[in-house]
Amino acid sequence: MQRRDFLKVTLAGPALGRLPPEGEAHSRQEEAPTRLVVDLTVNGLAQRVEVDARATLLDTLRHRLGLTGTKKGCDHGQCGACTVLIGGRRVLSCLTLVAAVRKPATTIEGLEKEGVLHPVQQAFIDQDALQCGYCTPGQILSAIACIEEGHAETRAAIQEYMSGNLCRCAAYPHIFAAIEQARPLMLKG
Amino acid sequence: MRAFAYIRADSTDSALRGMGSPTQPDRLNPQVQYLAGGTLLLDLMKLEVLSPHQVIDINGLESEYGRIELTEGGLHLGALVRMSQAADDARVRRDYPVIAQSLAQAASAQIRNMASLGGNLLQRTRCTYFRDTSWQGCNKRQPGSGCAALNGPNRQHAVLGVSDQCISTYPGDFAQSLVALGATVETVGPTGRRSVDLEALYRDAQQPELETNLLPGELITGIRVPAGPWTRNSAYLKIRDRVSYEFALASAAVALDLSEGRVREARIALGGVSYRPWRAREAESVLKGQPLTQANATAAARAAFATARPRAQNAFKVELGQRTLVRALLQVAGQTS
Amino acid sequence: MKGSEVRRGYRRVDAVLKVTGRARYGSDFDGGTSPAHACLVTSRIARGRISRFEETPVRALPGVLEILSFKNLGGRIKPGQTFPTGGYMGSSVAPLDSTTIWYAGQIIAVVIANTFEEARAAARQLKVEYIEEPPTASFAVGHEGVDFEGQTEKGPAVGDAIGAHTAAPVKIDARYATPTQHHNSMELFTTTCAWKDGKLTVWESSQNVYGYQYGLADQLGIPPADVRIVSPYLGGAFGGRSFLSQTTAVIALGAKMIGRPVRLEASRADGFTIATYRAETRHRVRLAASREGRLQALIHEGWEVSSRRDTYKVAGVDVSTRLYACPNVASSVTVCAADRATPGFMRAPAEVPYLFALESAMDELAVALDMDPIELRRINDTQVEPIEGRPYTSRALMQCFDVGAERFGWNRRNPTPGSMREQDWRIGFGCASSLYPTFMAPAAARITLWADGAAQVQTAAHEMGQGVRTVVAITAAEGLGIPLDQVRVEVGDSSLPPGPVAGGSNSTASVCNAVAKGCQDIRERIIAAAVAAAEGPLKGMIAREIRFIAGYLVCAAGREPLRTAIARLGRGALESYAENSPHGTPAGGVAGMYKGQPAFTGGTFLKDRIQCAFGAQFVEVRVHERTGEIRVPRLVGAFAAGRIVSPLTARSQLMGGQIWGMSAALHEATQMDAHHARYVNTDLAGYLVPVAADIGQIESIFVPEEDSLVNDLGIKGVGELGNVGLNAAIANAVFHATGLRIRELPIRIEHLLERLS
Ligand SMILES: Cc1cc2nc3c(=O)[nH]c(=O)nc-3n(C[C@H](O)[C@H](O)[C@H](O)COP(=O)(O)OP(=O)(O)OC[C@H]3O[C@@H](n4cnc5c(N)ncnc54)[C@H](O)[C@@H]3O)c2cc1C
Ligand code: SF4
Ligand code: FES
Ligand code: FES
């Protein structure tokens, strides 16, 4: 349960936690960015990266860990393309500081198990629940969580609880059908 | 986003110590910020509306402030309870539906999983001139610089509680339900613990750069909602352009104590139309002791908007806000779906 | 192999890559190794010039490597031509050329730093001052007798429209407005540039890789052969990635200056001003009819906002005047200059705004005639366009209406506005016509058939989600008689044989016809050897009777495995390079494709005929009686678009298009601060597109249609058909539900509120 199991945030740059002296507000330009060493678990793999304290989980996944399956559509919590699971819950990686991640993360790259697609991935293929595919990784992770949360019992619930994932190609009806296809399979096992 | 130092607090004390006690606190753009869900803080830090030197991650305090407790006296929500946690809580949904609904209709499932109830109360307006620092002319961001929204696109802006300095809308939903139910927030700060009436936490529009009466460094630890015969008979109605994942154009939090068709007590707060979470006391008193009819609901709504000050593009909110309230009242009274 | 066999249980061929995160989009490349990161600084004023530019302090910030601006790039990038004048650019403003500001959001500097975080923070520190002039944000009200100031051009005309309008017994005269819209595809505008041995590689999502290659070479003054554009998958495009934006050349130069790959990920807000968008339009439509509903006059005047630099226009009167039989037609288009970026193509650029006006007006005329709106369209249906009298190659508009009406349950419609209700909701049914011209352009493809019977198709087409990889694979699988999973498709790279810009819904028709030719060539070579062989089951058979089915050469007398037949040629692989030059391709058009100059033909451009796909849009809306919210529980569209190569992906496109139509009617609009000529809702929280909860039941029906004239394979495009006319259908349904005629989009609560009970 406790964060130490999964993560350590270590200092790599100047003093962590040091309060800036008063009056520094106007001379911030001189400030060097804080560098941190972050340990995180992504798709079951322990990773250690040195990052700027400002780095989001999204940018770290994409640029530092080479996991470009997670997409950026807005960087401000407005589209859902960057959805990943942390500790099994769906969250937006663009509004998550990588330094603040405390539990294991799952991205689209981590769903396939021994060459077998996750039922939600397979359902997206079967229902043609995608066009350009750019929103798809976020849709799939969101859909998995939506089913697990128990928010996929009805089409209306699916629609409401999937509204945090925009699809500009508007594959929506097929996305709903994919969730309906995958749900019984997921719940079975 | 400007560089900052990141620290994790593992106790209330360490959080407060991290805050320090700055001698010249900058209340417009505090140099130290707590990080809870980060859904507001990171958003505004990327935009450089907020540029703290130091960010204190308080999520380590979840075991302390992450609980929902229900007692005879009322509901207690920890400040680090996530929006989804409260929205899905069976007890909250049963006894305080207005709270559960206001949370469930806010933002998206992902954001609700991240966002804390404490952080939610401290939302900042969505006014473009505030969020985009390249605009000149926003009193809330730069005191004395004017208000570009007065004569700009102001469809989203407020009609109640506004001033000539600022007409921005408080964007949240949850606070409306709390204000209607007369909730208080509990805080701990450099000078100790205190309990504040939530409605009084939000300042008026005279000095728009100061939004709340929280003291520098003060940490919200919880929210207390008093029990009452009206809490079960309550609802939150939110009207917007799209069905979900959008801030309100108009909303109404309504809780009614009805007896034989008469209103013993009405608790009403309005959102989407006002500068801050808006308790509509005039409407409440119009209804008190009256049967809840369409005519009385309409009269109450009219009273709620008597002081409205519309602008070029948001005049419809006066009408929409009233209709929203009428619909919510009739809905809670079981007279419409 | 027969289409039905190839397509049995088939899936989008790139679906697995897309659901596993392995499909790589323009934004997913890093240019080799550790690119530097760029961030844009854009102008906050719309008109004037830069008076002060303080870069020295920013150069000292942590991680900053270079700052690009007019100071070091002025005069370095050639101002390109825009598409309508034969060029490749979205705007003729040369980036970072001078201190002049043409529009708000224009790029004025690019900060390059070691990391994304450093670049973004440093860019914000750049202090810039301006000398500002008052800008024009939109249409400027015209002098006497002129609606809006601008350059007017006459459009299609026949007969005496004004006279006929005056004389007719039933007429309407109405004005309509459509707003600015932005493509907002989900992928951001990202460019990564790297130089190696004097050659430039650009990773950027593009629906026009050859155009980008030639345009960029032109801007930079280097040989096109030294430029390569890589764009295997696009995260949506919708027209927004047809032309070079303001960024690519700048990033290329930045990478050269610092000697390292540079990656720019423009913000969502930047995307509103660095590329193109759908222009705001105004319309006046006058219709006149006999009492029986026969059109006697149609006058369509359009006004469009463009930039001060470029007179871009979509001029949709080209189609709006040709949709119905009418003896007297007049039209004009006026382009009005404002201090804004230059607009460009966005999904059905001309048809969306112009058919909103026409199809709303038709509904108004039906009301004036007290006639069913479908009947009005039936009475004025035609197989010959009314201006030059050219025949449509095929036109199944009324079949679409009949099929759609049946499925929708149009007969349940009580024509009286406001008469249909359910609880607190008023119900409205509306319909409208859809049409989209069938454009084509020359295209080339290289087909390789290996000895083991697997094949590869290479063509610089663009996978934007429309499914071009899938239709190409199906065409090759059919053409070579092999299973779908034996076909590899390579697209989206300017080093492949040229495919046209993925615009005007032309990709499937243009590219598949080239692929089919290449396959035919390979088939003929194999057959020739098989029938001429000294032995074998096909020896001496008649060549044209031999089919390629399921990995065999088959004729009545016998069959031979494809591998055996290939082996006879003694080659490791058979290769065919094929070009398709569609009917009406202008002289030099085929050569032009190698320079990224699409010689569009077809549609309304042909001398001898006109070719379009048609559809009928049906919608049910519900308007809340108290609070005025508009919901769309049902969309039914019936479309006739020739041969559908891939029903799976075509249906998805039409469905997405229908949702786009709903979005255009109810959600989307880029709002402006008129004092500053600046957009205010430049993010996805403020620029509304539909979310999952907004979606009702959607049916997209194919009405079978065979058109042997339009091209060899009989294909019309479906990419833009789905969203045309739907905006009008919704406005018409809102009228039916409420009695309120809303002539301005998007339709919002405030338009309805005052008049609801
Ligand atoms: C696209 C989008 C749509 C949204 N739509 C809605 C909507 O429809 N309705 C709605 O209500 N909200 C909406 N939100 C807002 C969202 O609910 C808030 O961002 C969220 O509730 C903030 O909580 P947080 O824990 O993430 O706060 P943080 O971002 O962590 O913090 C916010 C602020 O509060 C301070 N803070 C946090 N916790 C404490 C504490 N315990 N004590 C003292 N200070 C504290 C922080 O220092 C910071 O200044 C939306 C947000 C986004 C991005
Ligand atoms: S309304 Fe308030 S927040 Fe918006 S510009 Fe005016 S002062 Fe700023
Ligand atoms: S990129 Fe995170 S929500 Fe859009
Ligand atoms: S598939 Fe293109 S955005 Fe969803």
Side-chain angles (χ1 to χ4, degrees):
Chain A
M1 183 71 219
Q2 261 317 312
R3 61 196 161 102
R4 294 287 157 204
D5 302 346
F6 303 114
L7 175 137
K8 271 203 315 276
V9 175
T10 328
L11 191 70
L16 179 66
R18 180 182 59 89
L19 277 173
E22 272 312 307
E24 218 178 81
H26 303 292
S27 57
R28 292 185 55 138
Q29 282 91 321
E30 319 306 326
E31 245 172 67
T34 309
R35 313 267 327 159
L36 303 169
V37 174
V38 175
D39 285 315
L40 63 167
T41 303
V42 183
N43 301 329
L45 212 73
Q47 305 261 16
R48 170 167 292 190
V49 270
E50 190 193 319
V51 295
D52 189 310
R54 291 172 286 190
T56 60
L57 175 59
L58 174 60
D59 289 326
T60 306
L61 289 171
R62 289 179 54 79
H63 302 319
R64 303 298 304 284
L65 303 180
L67 296 172
T68 53
T70 308
K71 303 301 184 200
K72 186 185 283 189
C74 72
D75 216 16
H76 285 276
Q78 301 167 355
C79 75
C82 66
T83 303
V84 298
L85 306 182
I86 296 185
R89 291 155 57 87
R90 47 175 161 166
V91 299
L92 300 176
S93 59
C94 72
L95 293 182
T96 303
L97 286 178
V98 66
V101 177
R102 288 171 162 79
K103 290 177 183 163
T106 305
T107 70
I108 192 73
E109 290 92 345
L111 294 180
E112 210 173 333
K113 292 277 179 297
E114 286 150 18
V116 180
L117 296 178
H118 188 282
V120 174
Q121 288 176 308
Q122 187 59 50
F124 267 63
I125 297 175
D126 295 345
Q127 300 294 337
D128 203 38
L130 53 92
Q131 291 175 42
C132 78
Y134 197 79
C135 71
T136 308
Q139 300 279 3
I140 288 176
L141 287 155
S142 197
I144 290 172
C146 185
I147 293 169
E148 279 172 354
E149 289 161 9
H151 288 141
E153 268 81 20
T154 62
R155 170 112 357 166
I158 292 171
Q159 292 195 219
E160 174 55 38
Y161 285 89
M162 286 300 291
S163 281
N165 292 82
L166 304 188
C167 177
R168 184 56 160 157
C169 300
Y172 293 120
H174 293 176
I175 294 172
F176 310 151
I179 294 175
E180 287 163 350
Q181 174 185 323
R183 183 172 166 269
L185 295 171
M186 257 181 81
L187 298 184
K188 238 192 297 169
Chain B
M1 196 190 297
R2 306 290 290 275
F4 58 85
Y6 169 85
I7 60 169
R8 283 183 174 184
D10 47 21
S11 68
T12 308
D13 272 359
S14 68
L16 293 176
R17 227 178 310 119
M19 264 295 163
S21 44
T23 45
Q24 288 173 302
D26 179 353
R27 292 184 67 185
L28 288 189
N29 193 352
Q31 293 170 19
V32 189
Q33 287 274 354
Y34 291 124
L35 173 80
T39 61
L40 178 111
L41 188 59
L42 259 83
D43 180 28
L44 291 185
M45 282 171 65
K46 287 179 185 185
L47 296 170
E48 292 199 10
V49 173
L50 295 177
S51 303
H53 292 196
Q54 174 153 312
V55 168
I56 302 174
D57 183 342
I58 56 172
N59 289 290
L61 311 184
E62 205 167 338
S63 54
E64 217 173 324
Y65 304 127
R67 281 193 300 272
I68 300 174
E69 283 160 59
L70 200 71
T71 61
E72 293 222 330
L75 174 69
H76 188 267
L77 300 163
L80 285 171
V81 168
R82 307 295 149 169
M83 291 169 74
S84 54
Q85 196 185 336
D88 287 345
D89 188 283
R91 299 162 299 167
V92 178
R93 290 170 58 162
R94 184 194 61 209
D95 291 350
Y96 297 84
V98 63
I99 291 179
Q101 290 168 17
S102 70
L103 289 166
Q105 291 177 54
S108 68
Q110 290 94 315
I111 293 173
R112 295 193 296 267
N113 271 348
M114 304 169 75
S116 66
L117 297 185
N120 185 290
L121 296 178
L122 301 179
Q123 282 183 61
R124 310 297 293 272
T125 184
R126 303 293 301 187
C127 176
T128 298
Y129 304 106
F130 174 75
R131 287 174 58 82
D132 182 343
T133 59
S134 66
W135 284 100
Q136 299 176 328
C138 172
N139 289 326
K140 194 181 271 305
R141 189 163 38 75
Q142 268 183 323
S145 63
C147 172
L150 292 179
N151 299 309
N154 47 29
R155 174 176 190 263
Q156 258 75 22
H157 287 70
V159 295
L160 291 172
V162 295
S163 71
D164 290 336
Q165 280 72 53
C166 182
I167 57 169
S168 70
T169 308
Y170 174 79
D173 297 297
F174 174 53
Q176 273 73 255
S177 64
L178 295 178
V179 161
L181 300 180
T184 52
V185 284
E186 299 165 343
T187 69
V188 54
T191 55
R193 295 192 178 263
R194 63 176 184 136
S195 190
V196 197
D197 175 27
L198 179 65
E199 194 187 356
L201 188 73
Y202 298 103
R203 297 171 59 102
D204 66 24
Q206 294 312 313
Q207 221 184 334
E209 71 274 18
L210 298 182
E211 295 203 325
T212 71
N213 290 316
L214 275 188
L215 302 172
E218 211 170 9
L219 180 73
I220 299 177
T221 58
I223 301 155
R224 189 167 292 285
V225 189
W230 47 80
T231 67
R232 275 199 176 202
N233 201 24
S234 66
Y236 187 75
L237 177 65
K238 181 173 178 180
I239 305 295
R240 38 190 163 172
D241 293 308
R242 62 184 184 197
V243 176
S244 187
Y245 202 11
E246 196 191 354
F247 294 94
L249 281 173
S251 71
V254 167
L256 295 177
D257 179 12
L258 290 168
S259 160
E260 289 157 19
R262 277 183 192 274
V263 178
R264 267 209 269 196
E265 177 98 33
R267 299 303 197 85
I268 300 170
L270 303 174
V273 292
S274 53
Y275 178 79
R276 53 191 180 129
W278 193 257
R279 176 88 178 260
R281 289 207 167 70
E282 304 76 12
E284 293 176 4
S285 43
V286 167
L287 290 172
K288 201 173 166 106
Q290 303 298 317
L292 209 140
T293 60
Q294 158 102 23
N296 287 335
T298 308
R302 204 172 302 130
F305 283 83
T307 59
R309 285 173 59 195
R311 304 272 162 183
Q313 294 178 12
N314 67 359
F316 75 101
K317 283 193 173 182
V318 178
E319 180 71 21
L320 181 64
Q322 293 184 46
R323 287 165 174 261
T324 304
L325 177 53
V326 171
R327 186 173 153 192
L329 285 167
L330 296 178
Q331 189 181 317
V332 174
Q335 299 184 13
T336 178
S337 51
Chain C
M1 196 177 282
K2 277 239 174 53
S4 56
E5 266 171 69
V6 165
R7 298 193 311 236
R8 184 166 301 143
Y10 80 109
R11 304 283 186 259
R12 196 179 279 270
V13 298
D14 45 20
V16 171
L17 292 181
K18 287 178 175 177
V19 302
T20 53
R22 293 203 296 268
R24 297 192 78 192
Y25 297 79
S27 299
D28 295 339
F29 294 89
D30 62 4
T33 44
S34 70
H37 293 260
C39 187
L40 303 178
V41 181
T42 62
S43 171
R44 66 169 177 79
I45 70 158
R47 182 173 188 161
R49 61 184 178 81
I50 298 170
S51 58
R52 200 164 139 252
F53 188 88
E54 280 264 8
E55 62 177 317
T56 317
V58 181
R59 285 188 179 271
L61 291 176
V64 173
L65 300 170
E66 186 53 86
I67 297 174
L68 312 174
S69 72
F70 67 92
K71 292 197 169 172
N72 49 9
L73 288 195
R76 290 278 301 279
I77 298 172
K78 215 176 108 191
Q81 294 284 307
T82 58
F83 180 76
T85 50
Y88 309 95
M89 301 298 304
S91 157
S92 65
V93 173
L96 299 184
D97 190 51
S98 74
T99 56
T100 308
I101 303 296
W102 294 96
Y103 54 88
Q106 178 182 327
I107 298 170
I108 56 173
V110 178
V111 176
I112 303 175
N114 265 319
T115 67
F116 174 69
E117 292 81 16
E118 287 166 342
R120 182 175 55 185
R124 292 221 164 234
Q125 296 303 305
L126 192 69
K127 298 277 176 290
V128 183
E129 285 171 23
Y130 304 87
I131 294 174
E132 225 175 320
E133 291 168 40
T136 306
S138 180
F139 295 104
V141 176
H143 57 277
E144 222 186 295
V146 172
D147 293 77
F148 306 109
E149 292 297 348
Q151 288 180 33
T152 302
E153 255 181 47
K154 293 258 173 277
V158 68
D160 171 16
I162 300 282
H165 189 263
T166 315
V170 184
K171 53 194 151 195
I172 62 131
D173 178 353
R175 289 168 185 274
Y176 305 90
T178 66
T180 305
Q181 295 179 337
H182 280 78
H183 311 85
N184 274 314
S185 49
M186 289 305 298
E187 186 181 8
L188 298 167
F189 286 99
T190 306
T191 304
T192 303
C193 293
W195 293 83
K196 201 175 166 203
D197 306 327
K199 293 190 193 264
L200 170 65
T201 305
V202 178
W203 293 266
E204 178 177 337
S205 285
S206 163
Q207 56 194 114
N208 188 8
V209 288
Y210 265 75
Y212 277 34
Q213 179 197 0
Y214 275 77
L216 196 55
D218 183 38
Q219 281 186 293
L220 299 176
I222 58 176
D226 289 353
V227 178
R228 179 178 167 207
I229 312 289
V230 184
S231 172
Y233 290 93
L234 291 88
F238 312 112
R241 305 184 202 270
S242 310
F243 314 126
L244 276 165
S245 78
Q246 290 282 300
T247 53
T248 314
V250 174
I251 299 306
L253 287 183
K256 190 163 206 175
M257 282 164 73
I258 67 164
R260 183 174 157 189
V262 173
R263 179 178 194 278
L264 165 75
E265 179 186 271
S267 69
R268 177 60 60 185
D270 289 335
F272 279 78
T273 58
I274 61 176
T276 61
Y277 61 96
R278 194 197 291 285
E280 206 178 332
T281 70
R282 300 284 184 272
H283 306 261
R284 180 180 182 194
V285 180
R286 282 172 275 178
L287 297 178
S290 68
R291 294 213 189 278
E292 301 72 46
R294 219 166 278 285
L295 279 176
Q296 303 192 330
L298 184 159
I299 308 167
H300 193 162
E301 296 165 85
W303 290 267
E304 305 178 21
V305 172
S306 186
S307 65
R308 203 163 288 290
R309 286 289 298 255
D310 306 306
T311 50
Y312 175 90
K313 62 174 186 293
V314 298
V317 294
D318 199 35
V319 288
S320 69
T321 56
R322 293 187 165 95
L323 182 50
Y324 300 113
C326 183
N328 303 291
V329 176
S331 63
S332 69
V333 173
T334 304
V335 184
C336 308
D339 296 295
R340 307 193 32 182
T342 305
F345 297 155
M346 180 164 155
R347 202 171 192 174
E351 296 72 15
V352 162
Y354 281 80
L355 258 62
F356 170 65
L358 177 68
E359 290 299 283
S360 295
M362 285 294 281
D363 202 67
E364 299 205 43
L365 183 64
V367 172
L369 287 160
D370 196 15
M371 179 179 274
D372 182 276
I374 300 179
E375 285 319 299
L376 178 61
R377 287 167 175 99
R378 195 184 310 281
I379 289 170
N380 294 291
D381 189 28
T382 177
Q383 293 294 328
V384 173
E385 60 89 12
I387 312 294
E388 291 95 358
R390 291 172 291 170
Y392 281 98
T393 54
S394 60
R395 166 167 160 139
L397 177 65
M398 291 324 296
Q399 287 91 317
C400 291
F401 268 106
D402 292 339
V403 169
E406 166 82 30
R407 188 75 68 94
F408 181 79
W410 184 255
N411 56 4
R412 289 191 283 111
R413 178 180 187 261
N414 176 340
T416 310
S419 61
M420 293 168 63
R421 291 172 191 228
E422 201 176 294
Q423 288 162 343
D424 296 338
W425 296 89
R426 297 195 189 181
I427 300 171
F429 287 2
C431 69
S433 302
S434 171
L435 126 165
Y436 196 80
T438 304
F439 294 116
M440 289 194 62
R446 184 163 45 238
I447 324 284
T448 310
L449 178 64
W450 286 291
D452 65 358
Q456 170 177 277
V457 185
Q458 294 170 305
T459 173
H462 310 87
E463 178 55 61
M464 326 186 283
Q466 88 279 42
V468 88
R469 284 173 190 270
T470 304
V471 294
V472 163
I474 289 175
T475 305
E478 284 179 23
L480 299 171
I482 59 177
L484 196 51
D485 63 6
Q486 291 297 301
V487 185
R488 238 190 77 167
V489 180
E490 259 186 61
V491 298
D493 189 323
S494 62
S495 61
L496 300 171
V501 55
S505 300
N506 89 94
S507 283
T508 301
S510 301
V511 176
C512 289
N513 276 293
V515 172
K517 282 195 170 157
C519 293
Q520 182 182 355
D521 172 41
I522 289 182
R523 274 198 321 265
E524 282 167 2
R525 278 145 60 187
I526 297 173
I527 291 173
V531 296
E535 54 198 306
L538 303 177
K539 177 184 161 206
M541 294 291 135
I542 300 169
R544 67 184 147 74
E545 288 179 359
I546 298 174
R547 302 270 170 277
F548 281 54
I549 299 172
Y552 286 90
L553 277 68
V554 181
C555 73
R559 61 181 205 167
E560 178 176 53
L562 177 59
R563 286 187 208 193
T564 317
I566 300 173
R568 182 173 296 115
L569 289 158
R571 303 271 300 268
L574 293 177
E575 204 177 85
S576 174
Y577 166 84
E579 287 180 355
N580 185 52
S581 167
H583 172 73
T585 301
V590 180
M593 79 180 167
Y594 266 93
K595 293 188 173 154
Q597 292 169 335
F600 270 109
T601 176
T604 59
F605 299 161
L606 302 170
K607 295 236 165 351
D608 53 337
R609 67 195 203 201
I610 176 168
Q611 48 193 47
C612 295
F614 290 87
Q617 305 273 18
F618 291 86
V619 303
E620 174 182 332
V621 303
R622 292 186 175 221
V623 179
H624 197 278
E625 208 146 57
R626 245 178 235 291
T627 37
E629 302 121 287
I630 307 163
R631 301 281 181 264
V632 185
R634 265 178 344 123
L635 298 176
V636 173
F639 305 97
R643 178 163 169 262
I644 303 299
V645 179
S646 165
L648 179 87
T649 50
R651 177 162 290 115
S652 282
Q653 263 194 294
L654 288 168
M655 179 185 81
Q658 288 166 279
I659 295 174
W660 264 60
M662 172 184 92
S663 182
L666 299 177
H667 297 284
E668 284 177 55
T670 318
Q671 291 150 7
M672 207 171 227
D673 177 318
H675 302 295
H676 299 92
R678 257 184 96 175
Y679 299 130
V680 293
N681 58 338
T682 55
D683 64 22
L684 292 175
Y687 186 92
L688 301 183
V689 297
V691 297
D694 288 302
I695 308 302
Q697 256 180 42
I698 301 178
E699 282 190 72
S700 319
I701 305 162
F702 301 118
V703 174
E705 183 179 66
E706 273 183 35
D707 187 330
S708 53
L709 279 175
V710 72
N711 51 55
D712 289 351
L713 299 179
I715 301 168
K716 298 176 174 180
V718 296
E720 294 162 274
L721 186 60
N723 63 321
V724 176
L726 192 46
N727 46 10
I730 289 194
N732 299 342
V734 167
F735 173 79
H736 180 232
T738 63
L740 294 172
R741 178 66 65 181
I742 312 300
R743 302 186 179 88
E744 173 195 353
L745 297 183
I747 304 173
R748 292 254 159 99
I749 287 176
E750 54 264 43
H751 293 126
L752 307 179
L753 213 51
E754 304 286 342
R755 301 267 300 272
L756 293 170
S757 64

